[in-house]
Amino acid sequence: MKSKLSLSNKKYTFDLKSLLFESKLVFVFLIIGLVMSITTSCTDRRSERTDNGNIPNLSENLSVTNDDYFPDRVLVGYEDEKDLDKIAELIEGTLLLKIPQIRAASFKVEEVEKALEILQGEENIRKVKIRYAEPVYRRNIIPCEVGQGYSNQTTLSTYGSYQNYTNESLDFYLWGLRAIGIKKVWDRGYDGTGIIVAVLDTGVDGTHPDLQGQIMKGYRPSKGEELPEGTDSSYGGSHGTHVAGTIAAKRDGKGVVGVAPGVKIMPIVLFDSGGWYVGDDYAASGIIWAVEHGAKVLSNSWGGAGYSQALKDAFDYALAHGVVIVAAAGNSKSSQSFQYPANYPGVIQVGAVEYLGNKYDIADFSSGSPMLSVSAPGVNIISTMPQKTSVGYDKRSFQIAENSGYYGFMSGTSMATPHVSGFVALLLQEYPNAKPWQIRRLLENGAIDIGEPGIDERSGYGMINQRSVSSELPDNGGLNLDVEVTDAYGDWKIPSVSVSLIGTSNTDRRVRYFSKTNGDGVAKFLNIDTGKYDVIISGPDSRENSEGLSNVVYRKAEERVYYANRSFTNDSSITFNFSSQARIKFKNVSGNEFLILQSKDGSTSTTIELLSNQIDISHLSGRYFIKFGYPSPVLHNTTVNATITLNGYDIRLSGYITAGSTLTTLYDAYGRNSHWTFFGKTE
Ligand code: CA
């Protein structure tokens, strides 16, 4: 894919002539631009070492991987902290991290597949109570391309005769601030003062002259280390420093200025040495640290596939504390809804805008989603880069004379996101007690339509605009919804059930929210839009009920699908009771055989006499083994055949009793994963 960002040298020369007089700097940048203007495809990339300055290689304590998840870590939602030692013992692992706020812990293990198999295995379930167990997924910073150079010369031709908009020395390149009309907001007295924005990224160079005084203390979860204010924490590269500058670079006439120069940036290092993702476990602890240390906005220019309950719980913790979450949609162009955190409910998902000289449009690379909220400038964005003496120094940056600071251009939804995060800080300064959905609605109401007319999946409600500030805070249109899923009797709160809300929001937008029931059987949808939705519930996830990642029970007959259509107008909680029907039919029984129904955790076992060749066991709820027995040992090897009709599906069962024995477990065709899941019967 060739992006639209390339520019012809012809046009370049033309503009060079007309602009040389504007600033001596222009010449310098055009030279840099000519050197660096080779564009490449703009897809999501693994956070391989793209930076090439001072960054040391891998972190010594954490393993890294190119797989979708870390091979030697497992994340467990625990019931009781006292069980952590027992869990460690069972999986022969060592506790890495405990996150009591969301009752989760991670362990270093030999093999995650094996650890999951052990935790879900029949003998171990009753020894330790766990709410869920999951692999630790890998995610990536969302760079598009660094240092594409100065190619927005078209910006200037459209803005007419160039006038300094922000009074910064690099103003010439700050098209994004013009695009959103930021000066009108500053003129009203809002610059973000008093608001803390956490930048969850590669760390931030607090020694940069344009960031000095802007960077408060932060956190490096992989080391459990607090970062003193104003220090260099650019361990994972230049990306986070660039993001931080777009939010809060100083308004001092030198270099660039951020959207909200009054805010304090809290660096949270989620991409550590070499740019490697620390994992959902450490990321969750970083999110919680930020919330507990006063962050009001979480800026997330990163993401990846894999629904993590722990990560969801950490973001829900932030939302429940009134913290606004902003996240990049991704640079893979296509419409997607698997990228997290962007697609967790309540998150403000952001697309990237480019400026085409006579109009703004959604950038070619910018991913879309039914959940995408707004878009913001994200192509050829100039911002701060780590200093030469800093760990994240990036050779593709350049230095300016006025303050000796380093700067560079980047493109991506990563760059659009901090425009929105900074803007949110301005709105929070105006409305300090606004709920996250109210802030989102302010952004959406004030956005300028771009791209496809009306609300669309790639630009959301449009590009953020200054008019959101000083507009009235909406007092309806958002809510928190809990969807609880239990068995027929309301006793078993069922985890890992998928819950989708699909329908039309109060603004007539077609939306789709997705969540899964957590370890307490509740799917949380915090700060979503009011509206009329189909609630589609399906599950539980066969894979997560299985013993490990490889030993999957592919028995869809066990999964239940429920549906309801509801209007949601204010905070609500609804419960769905799963039920199931199960009947076993034997070829022929003589009347004295029996069945043993034994719960998977071994806690209960019921023996039932088989008085006829059919038996209804629909009353059962939970995970069970089905065993068949004769009252006395059989004389010959005997095969037992039966059929279970489970929720309308016929599944063949068989067992084998060797001569001299009385009992066999009944297996399905796969012969293993022999437990069955039932939800009981509603009268
Ligand atoms: Ca500045």
Side-chain angles (χ1 to χ4, degrees), residues 230-447:
T231 53
D232 170 36
S233 63
S234 57
Y235 299 109
S238 57
H239 191 262
T241 303
H242 197 277
V243 164
T246 298
I247 297 169
K250 282 194 290 188
R251 196 180 179 188
D252 59 356
K254 298 168 192 166
V256 300
V257 61
V259 172
V263 310
K264 292 284 180 264
I265 297 285
M266 175 192 282
I268 305 289
V269 186
L270 297 194
F271 296 83
D272 212 304
S273 306
W276 291 95
Y277 181 52
V278 297
D280 291 343
D281 44 356
Y282 289 95
S285 76
I287 291 160
I288 285 163
W289 193 94
V291 173
E292 295 195 334
H293 289 79
K296 291 289 173 237
V297 187
L298 306 180
S299 193
N300 299 279
S301 291
W302 58 282
Y307 183 100
S308 160
Q309 191 60 55
L311 196 60
K312 167 82 161 43
D313 285 349
F315 280 115
D316 279 349
Y317 179 86
L319 287 170
H321 283 78
V323 174
V324 180
I325 302 163
V326 185
N331 304 328
S332 55
K333 192 170 180 164
S334 59
S335 186
Q336 50 78 30
S337 43
F338 59 83
Q339 175 101 2
Y340 298 106
N343 286 292
Y344 287 133
V347 171
I348 298 173
Q349 183 177 158
V350 178
V353 174
E354 71 178 315
Y355 188 49
L356 299 171
N358 53 1
K359 64 166 187 167
Y360 300 104
D361 202 355
I362 197 74
D364 192 42
F365 57 77
S366 191
S367 302
S369 162
M371 305 303 308
L372 195 139
S373 171
V374 287
S375 40
V379 175
N380 285 318
I381 302 301
I382 189 169
S383 187
T384 46
M385 297 282 272
Q387 295 293 96
K388 194 154 199 172
T389 49
S390 297
V391 64
Y393 169 69
D394 188 321
K395 279 186 201 160
R396 291 162 296 186
S397 60
F398 49 84
Q399 193 181 23
I400 64 166
E402 300 95 299
N403 63 3
S404 306
Y406 284 77
Y407 295 86
F409 293 92
M410 291 193 191
S411 297
T413 51
S414 272
M415 282 63 245
T417 297
H419 279 92
V420 177
S421 302
F423 202 86
V424 165
L426 304 172
L427 295 170
L428 283 171
Q429 186 184 7
E430 187 182 12
Y431 297 110
N433 300 315
K435 293 172 184 164
W437 70 261
Q438 290 177 301
I439 295 294
R440 178 172 53 76
R441 291 301 309 148
L442 277 179
L443 291 171
E444 292 169 351
N445 289 340

Side-chain angles (χ1 to χ4, degrees), residues 68-70 73-75 106 112 134-138 279-281:
D68 291 337
Y69 52 83
F70 290 81
R73 262 193 266 174
V74 67
L75 236 171
S106 73
V112 58
E134 63 187 18
V136 176
Y137 294 105
R138 250 176 66 76
D280 291 343
D281 44 356

Side-chain angles (χ1 to χ4, degrees), residues 411-620:
S411 297
T413 51
S414 272
M415 282 63 245
T417 297
H419 279 92
V420 177
S421 302
F423 202 86
V424 165
L426 304 172
L427 295 170
L428 283 171
Q429 186 184 7
E430 187 182 12
Y431 297 110
N433 300 315
K435 293 172 184 164
W437 70 261
Q438 290 177 301
I439 295 294
R440 178 172 53 76
R441 291 301 309 148
L442 277 179
L443 291 171
E444 292 169 351
N445 289 340
I448 303 281
D449 194 15
I450 60 161
E452 210 179 296
I455 305 163
D456 63 273
E457 293 200 355
R458 298 194 64 222
S459 68
Y461 285 75
M463 180 170 67
I464 57 167
N465 183 269
Q466 54 82 21
R467 63 189 184 180
S468 288
V469 177
S470 301
S471 63
E472 209 176 318
L473 193 66
D475 60 3
N476 62 64
L479 81 153
N480 294 328
L481 170 68
D482 280 357
V483 179
E484 186 189 46
V485 182
T486 77
D487 67 355
Y489 314 115
D491 296 333
W492 180 21
K493 319 285 186 196
I494 305 165
S496 70
V497 175
S498 297
V499 182
S500 297
L501 303 184
I502 301 175
T504 309
S505 75
N506 62 77
T507 59
D508 269 343
R509 183 184 193 183
R510 284 291 296 173
V511 298
R512 193 180 101 185
Y513 298 107
F514 178 75
S515 178
K516 287 169 92 169
T517 54
N518 60 19
D520 305 313
V522 178
K524 290 196 154 303
F525 296 86
L526 302 181
N527 289 279
I528 61 166
D529 281 333
T530 59
K532 193 166 163 45
Y533 303 120
D534 290 338
V535 186
I536 298 156
I537 300 187
S538 63
D541 189 316
S542 305
R543 179 156 134 159
E544 286 162 33
N545 297 334
S546 305
E547 296 182 358
L549 291 166
S550 48
N551 249 1
V552 183
V553 180
Y554 291 110
R555 205 186 283 140
K556 304 299 180 195
E558 290 176 348
E559 295 183 9
R560 312 301 293 128
V561 178
Y562 283 59
Y563 164 91
N565 182 277
R566 299 277 179 92
S567 283
F568 296 99
T569 53
N570 46 39
D571 287 0
S572 318
S573 176
I574 50 174
T575 299
F576 287 83
N577 302 106
F578 276 4
S579 65
S580 53
Q581 289 182 316
R583 198 176 61 246
I584 305 174
K585 197 172 176 180
F586 294 90
K587 282 250 163 66
N588 42 28
V589 289
S590 59
N592 46 26
E593 296 90 343
F594 58 89
L595 272 190
I596 297 176
L597 301 164
Q598 187 194 334
S599 65
K600 193 184 176 200
D601 65 6
S603 63
T604 65
S605 180
T606 314
T607 304
I608 306 170
E609 280 181 60
L610 283 174
L611 300 172
S612 75
N613 60 358
Q614 267 200 58
I615 182 163
D616 193 309
I617 55 168
S618 301
H619 64 282
L620 288 179

